[in-house]
Amino acid sequence: MSAKWSVKTQLPVHYTVFESFDLFNPENNALLFDGQNSSLQSLRRVVVVDDYVERLHGERIHQYFQYHEIEYRLLSLSVSEDNKSMDTVFQVVEELNAFEVSRRSEPVIAIGGGVLMDIVGLAANLFRRGIPYIRVPTTLLGVVDAAIGAKTAVNFQGHKNRIGTFYPPLAAILDTTLLQTLSDRQISNGIAEILKIALVKDAELFELLEKHGAAMLSSKCQNPEAVPIIRRSVQGMLEDLESNLWEEKLERLVDYGHTFCPTLELKAVPKLLHGEAVAVDMAISVMLAYQRSLVTYQEVERVYNFMRSVRLPLLHPICTPELLYAALQSTTKHRNGLQRFPLTVGIGAAQFFHDITYEEIKTAVKAIAQLEPDAARQTSPDTLLNGGDLCTQVSSL
């Protein structure tokens, strides 16, 4: 009779998300965080920044670590979706190895957008089977989404985030003063992820966005009303992540806007930023919900009008029904064979569906194309409608 052993264990997970403003001011000690609530165990750090951040803040970052007499090495990377790959991960690993980073007491600091944080997180997870790292997002999308979860990933063979792990940071430090240097497009990009949370679980957040979203855009999130909006969005995101951090449950509210999005983001020409691809996905999803009588015509108008007010796209020339249905099929495989397609029920709630059809997608695209003819101009002629309001268009298709 052969022997058999069963091993069962649990891995406790704890990480901190906190605000700290004017991070690179030498009097601010937040970047010295080591998770021990005590004096630093080691005054050594590898700091990885994207090259845009280095151009804007490099001198202050150098001065900060010199002021605190920390031995450090700063690695500047030029990163984008095009080089979000294992090759770039290995660049970070080489730096960690050359600096002989310890396994526990010298957290790597990633300062940049979502792509950079994903790359550094994966490198930290792989190096010495896991070393601590800290995320400092410099984009609005990073603040409300990319920095505060557990996922790390890179693209592979034309597939977005195909190689990745769950590896939470030691901490995510949120400094919205860093958003002052962003372009309007990058602010809009981040607002899309806030809108996602509002549509699926927080009607009051949507109302706040309607009132103050345009001001967030024009002020680069420096208006007083931006603070409670961002905090409410972070809270809503963390609530859903905490109970399902490893995605054991594949029906996730935070997947709203992320069904067609991965394909759109990689294939769109002209390119879409992540939040813009999410916005297009959400616009189509709202129309699908309307076609199923889950939202009213007035609610569709509210969502679309808000998106226009913060310069988010409702459609893109690449959005043919064929491509979108293929994207749905790809996502269905990722969701273990079921569509698990979240659709809004009113504004502030959602349900999951597994039976979205090609014809429904085709009808939705046609309706939006009529509303946004410039965005649809390069799509096939049969995606356009002639005349009539939104209700008439959908009911007649």
Side-chain angles (χ1 to χ4, degrees):
M1 182 176 179
S2 60
K4 181 180 180 180
W5 290 266
S6 178
V7 178
K8 184 177 181 180
T9 186
Q10 290 183 328
L11 176 66
V13 175
H14 176 267
Y15 64 100
T16 305
V17 178
F18 66 94
E19 294 177 329
S20 185
F21 305 110
D22 195 16
L23 266 181
F24 305 138
N25 182 335
E27 302 302 317
N28 185 337
N29 290 330
L31 279 179
L32 308 182
F33 183 83
D34 67 352
Q36 304 300 315
N37 296 318
S38 61
S39 59
L40 288 174
Q41 294 182 3
S42 174
L43 295 175
R44 301 176 78 245
R45 294 290 184 270
V46 169
V47 185
V48 186
V49 303
D50 67 43
D51 58 352
Y52 181 71
V53 169
E54 185 186 28
R55 290 196 298 272
L56 290 175
H57 305 292
E59 184 175 351
R60 294 183 69 206
I61 293 171
H62 282 291
Q63 290 173 349
Y64 181 93
F65 288 103
Q66 291 166 2
Y67 176 87
H68 289 283
E69 299 182 344
I70 293 176
E71 181 187 355
Y72 72 99
R73 185 172 299 190
L74 190 142
L75 172 63
S76 175
L77 295 175
S78 177
V79 294
S80 67
E81 286 292 337
D82 293 334
N83 67 345
K84 188 183 183 185
S85 67
M86 288 304 300
D87 288 339
T88 314
V89 170
F90 291 143
Q91 281 185 256
V92 179
V93 170
E94 288 175 2
E95 200 72 18
L96 300 177
N97 196 51
F99 197 67
E100 297 185 346
V101 173
S102 75
R103 292 189 66 182
R104 296 291 177 263
S105 60
E106 297 171 1
V108 181
I109 302 174
I111 307 175
V115 173
L116 180 108
M117 290 187 292
D118 261 0
I119 290 168
V120 175
L122 185 52
N125 193 183
L126 297 176
F127 188 72
R128 296 185 184 276
R129 301 179 188 86
I131 62 172
Y133 72 108
I134 291 170
R135 292 171 173 162
V136 179
T138 58
T139 63
L140 178 57
L141 189 144
V143 168
V144 300
D145 184 84
I148 63 177
K151 290 194 285 191
T152 75
V154 294
N155 304 332
F156 181 71
Q157 293 186 350
H159 298 282
K160 183 173 173 62
N161 293 339
R162 184 55 59 92
I163 298 175
T165 63
F166 293 99
Y167 191 60
L170 176 67
I173 308 175
L174 312 182
D175 179 3
T176 52
T177 66
L178 295 174
L179 307 182
Q180 297 177 69
T181 59
L182 296 179
S183 66
D184 287 354
R185 186 181 181 192
Q186 284 286 354
I187 298 293
S188 295
N189 190 48
I191 289 175
E193 290 285 0
I194 299 177
L195 176 62
K196 173 189 76 176
I197 295 296
L199 290 179
V200 296
K201 64 177 298 183
D202 193 340
E204 186 174 337
L205 177 58
F206 183 76
E207 292 173 0
L208 290 172
L209 284 172
E210 283 185 304
K211 291 178 183 177
H212 306 297
M216 286 181 67
L217 180 60
S218 62
S219 73
K220 309 293 177 70
C221 296
Q222 304 309 301
N223 58 314
E225 297 81 7
V227 174
I229 289 174
I230 291 172
R231 287 177 179 172
R232 196 175 185 108
S233 177
V234 169
Q235 176 70 27
M237 186 74 172
L238 288 174
E239 286 171 354
D240 270 66
L241 291 175
E242 185 176 28
S243 62
N244 190 28
L245 198 62
W246 311 115
E247 296 184 15
E248 294 294 330
K249 181 181 177 183
L250 293 176
E251 291 185 350
R252 305 169 65 242
L253 284 177
V254 292
D255 276 341
Y256 186 70
H258 290 70
T259 300
F260 309 120
C261 164
T263 297
L264 295 177
E265 195 173 349
L266 288 178
K267 293 185 178 296
V269 178
K271 283 189 175 297
L272 289 170
L273 300 177
H274 176 70
E276 293 170 337
V278 170
V280 172
D281 191 313
M282 291 191 294
I284 297 168
S285 298
V286 166
M287 186 60 70
L288 290 170
Y290 175 68
Q291 291 167 193
R292 292 189 172 213
S293 300
L294 301 172
V295 298
T296 66
Y297 173 41
Q298 291 73 24
E299 288 168 333
V300 175
E301 283 192 313
R302 286 178 68 190
V303 174
Y304 287 179
N305 286 337
F306 170 74
M307 291 174 67
R308 293 186 186 103
S309 75
V310 292
R311 304 179 198 172
L312 285 171
L314 274 65
L315 204 59
H316 186 278
I318 199 175
C319 289
T320 63
E322 293 77 14
L323 180 133
L324 294 172
Y325 191 67
L328 172 58
Q329 290 176 310
S330 176
T331 301
T332 298
K333 292 179 182 177
H334 183 63
R335 295 174 183 168
N336 208 37
L338 289 176
Q339 288 183 0
R340 308 179 203 269
F341 198 126
L343 292 178
T344 48
V345 180
I347 291 176
Q351 292 180 6
F352 294 91
F353 295 84
H354 311 299
D355 58 349
I356 304 296
T357 67
Y358 172 85
E359 289 301 323
E360 284 181 281
I361 293 171
K362 183 177 180 181
T363 301
V365 172
K366 285 184 176 181
I368 302 171
Q370 177 62 35
L371 297 173
E372 302 289 311
D374 289 342
R377 186 165 292 154
Q378 296 175 36
T379 58
S380 57
D382 71 342
T383 63
L384 297 176
L385 295 176
N386 294 311
D389 66 14
L390 178 60
C391 293
T392 304
Q393 293 163 30
V394 174
S395 63
S396 65
L397 291 170

